[in-house]
Amino acid sequence: MAQTLSPDRAHEWITRWDRQQEGYLPDREERFTVLIDAVEAHVGRADPLVLDLGCGPGSLSARLLDRLPRATVVAVDADPLLLALGRACYSSLPGLRFAELDLRRPGWSRELGLERAPDAAVSTTALHWLAERDLRALYAELAGLLRPGGILLNGDHLEADGSASRLRGLEREIARKAIRRRFPDGHPEDWRQWWDAFTADPALASLMAGLENGSSAASHDGSESILMSTHVEALREAGFTEIDTIWQRGDDRILAALLP
């Protein structure tokens, strides 16, 4: 896909993307910081190879490289428009590579052309969209891909177990209170408003015309795997041996999983 967005215009759209995401995740920047802290603390090298799964326009990838400039980050997403936005904005980052792949398709990792096993895989607000069967397959593929002792860090809306309905309600209310404090007058722009404005940008006309299957992000509907227990069970089944929450704000948490 030809890049038609200028870096400056792409930066404007990603800044606006980050702002609307904070309407759902008022502690988003803290989540990013803690997640990158965990990568830095665990991998034990200044030049780690990191996969960013469901990367969107690359907000997390860029922050990770800002902290670890010698790292290599392979950012994976299925949506060509968001990838085009990231490529345009972050073209000056030599350690960042975007890959258009569907994480629901078995064998996606073979198409990355990696020269060594990744030290870490990270994801933010992406994997809850996957159906449970696809999530289990993804975690199994990751377990065979990461180096021994590798780490997965998933920052997402993951709720308490379904049997703990009162705790789930409490987590949700904590999250709602945080959003109201951050944006007392309501969301500055919600996800759908951002998407509609983005795809209406004349600079995207040639990109839109060249899409065969449309934008996958625009068709998101519902959350398939929102229970923390679903992720924990799938990770354990895949071979991850240490699994726990390392940061949490209401139902917004970072779930970490280690391979033996």
Side-chain angles (χ1 to χ4, degrees):
M1 178 180 295
Q3 177 178 307
T4 60
L5 282 173
S6 71
D8 288 344
R9 185 62 175 152
H11 183 266
E12 291 175 8
W13 276 116
I14 290 183
T15 298
R16 189 166 161 179
W17 166 274
D18 289 340
R19 178 71 170 169
Q20 62 87 8
Q21 285 287 291
E22 288 175 356
Y24 304 96
L25 298 164
D27 298 305
R28 184 171 181 257
E29 290 298 332
E30 182 179 344
R31 184 213 270 181
F32 281 156
T33 298
V34 173
L35 193 151
I36 297 168
D37 283 345
V39 171
E40 186 176 29
H42 179 74
V43 298
R45 57 189 297 170
D47 61 342
L49 174 58
V50 182
L51 302 182
D52 183 0
L53 306 176
C55 65
S59 298
L60 172 60
S61 296
R63 287 163 174 77
L64 200 153
L65 283 164
D66 186 58
R67 175 86 70 83
L68 299 170
R70 292 173 56 193
T72 298
V73 179
V74 181
V76 183
D77 204 285
D79 190 270
L81 281 181
L82 294 180
L83 291 173
L85 183 58
R87 289 183 178 116
C89 184
Y90 300 123
S91 58
S92 63
L93 294 178
L96 178 57
R97 175 164 65 90
F98 288 96
E100 184 180 336
L101 294 170
D102 189 342
L103 296 172
R104 298 169 299 181
R105 192 177 71 242
W108 58 268
S109 63
R110 292 193 296 271
E111 299 183 41
L112 296 176
L114 302 178
E115 296 182 355
R116 64 180 178 89
D119 302 284
V122 299
S123 184
T124 59
T125 322
L127 301 186
H128 71 269
W129 292 110
L130 298 180
E132 184 174 346
R133 66 181 181 279
D134 296 323
L135 185 74
R136 290 181 181 275
L138 170 66
Y139 285 158
E141 189 157 343
L142 274 178
L145 180 66
L146 295 173
R147 67 164 172 82
I151 189 169
L152 166 69
L153 294 156
N154 181 22
D156 211 337
H157 291 291
L158 301 177
E159 298 184 349
D161 188 87
S163 62
S165 58
R166 289 187 295 174
L167 288 180
R168 290 180 70 187
L170 182 58
E171 286 182 348
R172 289 174 179 175
E173 184 56 29
I174 290 171
R176 283 193 290 265
K177 286 181 179 293
I179 291 171
R180 287 195 293 268
R181 281 195 299 270
R182 179 74 171 84
F183 297 105
D185 298 323
H187 287 203
E189 180 178 51
D190 66 23
W191 178 85
R192 174 52 61 184
Q193 289 169 330
W194 180 93
W195 192 261
D196 289 345
F198 174 58
T199 54
D201 188 338
L204 287 167
S206 63
L207 295 178
M208 295 290 290
L211 293 182
E212 295 181 0
N213 299 314
S215 168
S216 59
S219 63
H220 279 169
D221 183 21
S223 298
E224 298 287 340
S225 300
I226 62 171
L227 293 181
M228 183 175 66
S229 59
T230 299
H231 291 256
V232 171
E233 291 167 9
L235 287 163
R236 188 171 289 121
E237 182 181 89
F240 290 86
T241 54
E242 298 181 54
I243 308 161
D244 211 343
T245 297
I246 60 171
W247 176 91
Q248 183 176 0
R249 295 287 186 274
D251 62 356
D252 179 17
R253 71 183 81 226
I254 298 174
L255 186 63
L258 298 176
L259 287 172

